[in-house]
Every structure is written in structure tokens, then in C-alpha cells.
Amino acid sequence: MEGIGKLCEDLGIDPQSDVRILVLLWRLGAVSVPGQISKEEFMTGMRAMGLSNLEGIRSALPSLDPGFLEHSKFKDFFHWVFQFSREGTNKTIEKEIVLEMLQIVLSGGMNRAPHLELFLEFMNAPITEKHKRITADQWDQFLHFETVTSSDMSNYDENGAWPILLDDFVEWFRTREREKK
């Protein structure tokens, strides 16, 4: 992460909140080690993107907004974010990291996640103690859930093949809505 941190510093972007660094790393092909990019991946990716220096990356920053990605490309990027965020050989990610990454990746103008704020609230509720780590399937299915589920969740199919995490989220939401009435 030291090299990535230095790159962010040189570009004047905050890696804790600016999704463009993740899009850049994805486009450069950072896949060999979670949380890192090898020199070979970096150099190969720079050539593939037609970039040769820091100024080139800086000028490319506006095009790295994920809002420009079609849904299928965004889905690939979203999956990559999970893989990149893993620690070592773990196949799951701690809940706290997931919450941070969801905010970085899904916040913004595209409204790809209409339930994001509610989901973040749910994940911070005591009921989610059993969900301390999140799997790649849960991560990927959350994005799918966001694209097919209505704002009031009335079309959610409890008998569908959703992860238990999402079943719990919908149950929490519906209970909360009933209690408001």
C-alpha cells in the first residue's frame, strides 16, 4: 500500500474516499496480490491505457469516474474491489472494511445503490453481529439486489436464492417500517 499511498499523494487524491484510485488500479490490472499492484502490472497497465507518466495519469483522472462504466463493466469492477480488498489469502472481508468500501464505491451520482444508506445502518445494528465477515457472494449479490429490488422492497422474493445477509436486511427493513406505523 505504500506505493499506492504515494501515488495518491502525488495525484492529490484521498485513497480513503476517492473511488478513482480503485478504478485506476482495476484498469491497470492489479490482480496478483490483494491490496497491491506489482511493478509489472503497473507498467503493463500504463502501456495499455496509453499513459507514460504521472501527468498522464492526472489527465486521465476525470475518465476514471465509475459513473462512466456500463452496468456489466461496473459489475466487474465491483467484484474486483472485493478481491482487491481481501487481506492475504482470506476469502472474506471484515464488516468494517466492507462498509467503508461500499461507501467509496457506491456513493456518487449514478444512484447504483438506492438502499445503501439503509444497508449501512442495518450493518451497524446489533442484529448483524453474526455477519462479522462478508463473502464474495454476499458482496456481489448486494449489487444485484440493488438493481432488481424496489425502493420499498415489496418485490423482494424471500424464497429466492439470496444470501441470508440480504434476507436479514429485508426482514430488518420491513420490521422497521411496520414499527413506524
Side-chain angles (χ1 to χ4, degrees):
M1 286 301 283
E2 297 153 13
I4 296 171
K6 174 77 169 108
L7 178 61
C8 289
E9 185 179 312
D10 291 346
L11 292 171
I13 61 176
D14 179 2
Q16 301 296 319
S17 63
D18 197 326
V19 68
R20 295 175 300 173
I21 189 61
L22 292 170
V23 176
L24 175 63
L25 293 167
W26 172 62
R27 298 254 329 261
L28 290 173
V31 294
S32 60
V33 178
Q36 299 177 24
I37 185 166
S38 70
K39 183 176 181 178
E40 182 180 331
E41 289 169 333
F42 184 83
M43 298 308 290
T44 301
M46 289 284 285
R47 279 190 299 278
M49 290 180 69
L51 304 172
S52 60
N53 57 33
L54 187 63
E55 285 310 311
I57 296 172
R58 192 173 282 121
S59 67
L61 282 176
S63 70
L64 298 175
D65 185 318
F68 292 118
L69 297 174
E70 294 178 7
H71 179 72
S72 64
K73 288 286 184 196
F74 185 81
K75 186 177 171 184
D76 293 344
F77 166 67
F78 190 77
H79 180 76
W80 174 87
V81 168
F82 181 90
Q83 298 303 327
F84 187 75
S85 300
R86 293 181 304 122
E87 296 172 353
T89 58
N90 285 331
K91 298 204 181 285
T92 59
I93 300 177
E94 290 180 22
K95 176 171 75 170
E96 292 74 23
I97 294 170
V98 166
L99 299 180
E100 290 173 17
M101 297 312 293
L102 285 174
Q103 290 179 78
I104 293 169
V105 174
L106 293 175
S107 295
M110 286 301 292
N111 197 24
R112 293 186 195 264
H115 305 101
L116 179 60
E117 293 303 317
L118 281 169
F119 186 73
L120 296 174
E121 185 180 335
F122 161 74
M123 289 300 290
N124 284 309
I127 189 174
T128 61
E129 273 305 304
K130 64 184 174 184
H131 301 293
K132 292 181 182 190
R133 299 192 67 84
I134 305 301
T135 66
D137 182 56
Q138 291 169 322
W139 174 268
D140 290 339
Q141 287 297 314
F142 178 72
L143 183 63
H144 180 64
F145 170 88
E146 288 294 74
T147 61
V148 300
T149 306
S150 62
S151 60
D152 66 356
M153 300 187 207
S154 60
N155 66 336
Y156 183 78
D157 181 6
E158 297 89 3
N159 298 317
W162 295 105
I164 291 171
L165 173 67
L166 293 174
D167 288 338
D168 290 350
F169 171 52
V170 172
E171 182 181 331
W172 172 85
F173 172 78
R174 289 178 175 166
T175 300
R176 184 178 152 192
E177 291 301 299
R178 277 192 304 274
E179 290 172 356
K180 282 183 180 179
K181 294 177 181 181

